[in-house]
Amino acid sequence: MNRANRIICDQTGKILLQTGEATGDILQHDTITELHCIDIPYGSIDYTRNRITSIDIENKQPILEEIPVYVSEAEKEKQELENQLLLLTNQEIGGGIL
């Protein structure tokens, strides 16, 4: 199956997004009957912890999903050793750190 290159542009014809052509086992474009636009203020979303999954059209607000953080076994072991070292150090100096 072939899919056309969908181009989204502003009122002056400036291209904002192109999907590019695609072929193979792909989904066709959805039919668009309306387009909406919102501006998210700079710095209002921590994109290292969240991603925008969709927009609440009625309230003009982004719907966020928290990005899961995966910790490897090696990182868990390292953190456990650091915690043990901190506890030992705290005991040796008489409880001054914690």
Side-chain angles (χ1 to χ4, degrees):
M1 177 183 311
N2 295 329
R3 185 177 68 197
N5 180 16
R6 177 171 280 171
I7 299 174
I8 297 175
C9 60
D10 69 8
Q11 64 280 1
T12 67
K14 179 181 173 187
I15 294 174
L16 304 174
L17 174 77
Q18 289 190 60
T19 64
E21 291 182 339
T23 188
D25 187 19
I26 54 160
L27 298 173
Q28 290 297 317
H29 290 299
D30 293 332
T31 301
I32 296 174
T33 58
E34 278 184 47
L35 286 175
H36 296 264
C37 171
I38 67 167
D39 290 323
I40 311 268
Y42 181 85
S44 64
I45 296 175
D46 182 352
Y47 292 102
T48 63
R49 297 173 185 236
N50 299 285
R51 64 176 147 246
I52 299 172
T53 58
S54 62
I55 303 296
D56 179 339
I57 298 301
E58 290 193 20
N59 297 314
K60 303 284 188 194
Q61 293 296 316
I63 297 172
L64 304 177
E65 176 180 272
E66 190 171 333
I67 298 171
V69 177
Y70 299 101
V71 180
S72 69
E73 283 301 316
E75 188 63 33
K76 287 179 186 175
E77 290 174 9
K78 177 185 170 199
Q79 186 62 49
E80 180 60 33
L81 289 172
E82 288 174 354
N83 289 343
Q84 289 175 4
L85 181 60
L86 186 59
L87 287 172
L88 286 172
T89 303
N90 188 52
Q91 289 172 354
E92 286 181 11
I93 64 170
I97 293 177
L98 299 175

